[in-house]
Amino acid sequence: MVARECVACAETWPDYAFCRVADCGHEICVGCTSQILRDALGERRRVTSGGVPCVFPGCGARVDLDAARNVRDKGAALLPDDRATRGAPPKPVDALTDEEVGALGALMAAA
């Protein structure tokens, strides 16, 4: 099994736990990707018809609805995981739900 470090959380994950965040090819772990998409629901101005912006500085690519569905599916298989936490005190990151992906789709359609 190949493992590598997520540039967003600095945790080591197996290679299969990474998500391509957009057409740019940038990849971060499923926990970080799930939380970034979830956070976008609370920051609706970040969501455009093209999706949610890639988190890499200077990258103009966007995470579209198909990619969000892939993150949901991968997260359902891998989360929660002790490496994926947020906040203080740390709370586990859960997989995106169908409702959250639907809400992202609605925001993209309305943008």
Side-chain angles (χ1 to χ4, degrees):
M1 171 181 68
V2 176
R4 56 187 164 128
E5 186 176 288
C6 174
V7 298
C9 67
E11 292 288 343
T12 301
W13 291 83
D15 196 50
Y16 60 80
F18 283 79
C19 298
R20 178 161 291 153
V21 294
D23 288 339
C24 58
H26 291 128
E27 294 182 326
I28 58 176
C29 75
V30 66
C32 290
T33 309
S34 297
Q35 195 56 47
I36 288 163
L37 293 174
R38 185 172 286 120
D39 289 347
L41 288 170
E43 300 173 33
R44 295 172 183 224
R45 70 185 187 292
R46 293 180 47 214
V47 182
T48 67
S49 61
V52 177
C54 175
V55 297
F56 282 77
C59 183
R62 312 224 32 112
V63 182
D64 65 17
L65 190 55
D66 286 336
R69 289 183 186 117
N70 290 335
V71 171
R72 174 201 58 202
D73 296 345
K74 188 172 280 197
L78 299 173
L79 297 174
D81 185 287
D82 291 341
R83 293 169 284 200
T85 59
R86 61 180 167 74
K91 297 180 205 164
V93 173
D94 292 317
L96 288 173
T97 64
D98 291 340
E99 292 78 18
E100 288 171 319
V101 172
L104 281 169
L107 288 173
M108 290 176 199

